[in-house]
Amino acid sequence: AARPSELGCSECVPLSLSTDRANLSDYQCLIREQIDLFAATQADIDSSAQGRNRPIVLHQVGIRCRHCATLPSSRRSRGSVYYPAKLSGLYQAAQNMTLNHFTTSCQTMSQPLREEILRLKKRKSYVLGGGKGYWARGGQIRKIVEIEDRLFFRDHIPEGLKIKPRRAKMAS
């Protein structure tokens, strides 16, 4: 895995994993390769979209278009950043980013790459085991945890927030 400093940001990692090709369709693999997981900075908080149900907090994990990541937020087009509340929301956030950003409004993605995404999307191939659960497990592999309906990198949990231990489910 690439180190965050190699990616041009202090706290970001690729969403894609080395196991993707064995578990996901070519379409999903290509989408994941266009997305970084990142920890929100004060600049991200100051520029986050108005009208959110919950404000973004420092170090909250979001996903963003890796092509737009270096642009000032005012120059990024619609749908380039999402903040899922749960690991299980990574899949849907990425699908929203594809629909609302990659295939329509991303100004920094090459046209051949956009066309390849659209071509693979039309192919509708599926791989067993590559659903939302795989995407959520991928977040766990990247050391992301859920706390109070927000995601954080395990090593950067804000003070005052604690990981609640999961209760074991009772066998019926």
Side-chain angles (χ1 to χ4, degrees), residues 17 31 70 106 144:
L17 298 168
I31 294 305
T70 59
C106 182
I144 295 173

Side-chain angles (χ1 to χ4, degrees), residues 68-89:
C68 295
T70 59
L71 293 176
S73 60
S74 62
R75 294 209 32 234
R76 291 183 204 144
S77 56
R78 178 177 188 254
S80 65
V81 176
Y82 287 87
Y83 292 92
K86 305 250 181 226
L87 286 164
S88 60

